Amino acid sequence: MNAHNLATEAAWILVGTVDDIPRQGSRRVRNGETKIAVFRTIDDRIFALEDKCPHKNGPLSEGIVHDGCVTCPLHNWVISLETGEAQGADDGRTSTFPVRIEGREIYLDLTTNFAAR
């Protein structure tokens, strides 16, 4: 295995299993000072977003998961779980993190995030 592959493998961190997260729910993990919300949809898709709404930094992990989105509990902004983009007339984006599922285990690449604009 070359050094590039080793670096790539080292980026994936086990953060739990699909069964640790209720359907249409979330769990929070930390990466240093960054809080990351890991979401599970009704059809068992897993997404990871920084646990911070682009509007007023509300805790997205406490929001309602629906239709591939999460609604922030503070001011009802709807955020796409896939892109982190605010939906509708709202404008903003939260950082997203790559997710890999192996069996039932969830791995996040915490070295790569798709930062908010």
Side-chain angles (χ1 to χ4, degrees), residues 3-113:
H4 176 73
N5 288 343
L6 286 175
T8 300
E9 284 303 310
W12 294 100
I13 305 297
L14 176 66
V15 295
T17 70
V18 172
D19 304 308
D20 292 337
I21 306 170
R23 284 191 171 111
Q24 294 185 284
S26 70
R27 289 290 182 262
R28 203 164 74 180
V29 297
R30 284 177 144 330
N31 182 35
E33 294 297 312
T34 304
K35 296 173 188 165
I36 301 166
V38 183
F39 297 94
R40 179 180 178 188
T41 62
I42 191 75
D43 58 353
D44 293 334
R45 292 179 298 143
I46 304 294
F47 297 93
L49 301 174
E50 186 170 5
D51 193 18
K52 185 167 71 171
C53 180
H55 177 228
K56 299 278 186 181
N57 298 328
L60 294 176
S61 62
E62 296 176 20
I64 297 170
V65 177
H66 59 94
D67 303 319
C69 296
V70 60
T71 297
C72 180
L74 293 186
H75 301 102
N76 294 322
W77 275 41
V78 177
I79 308 300
S80 166
L81 293 175
E82 188 172 338
T83 66
E85 295 279 342
Q87 304 297 290
D90 296 325
D91 187 35
R93 184 175 187 279
T94 192
S95 297
T96 61
F97 295 85
V99 174
R100 185 171 82 189
I101 306 295
E102 290 184 11
R104 302 292 290 170
E105 295 179 327
I106 301 169
Y107 293 84
L108 299 183
D109 179 353
L110 301 177
T111 63
T112 304
N113 74 23

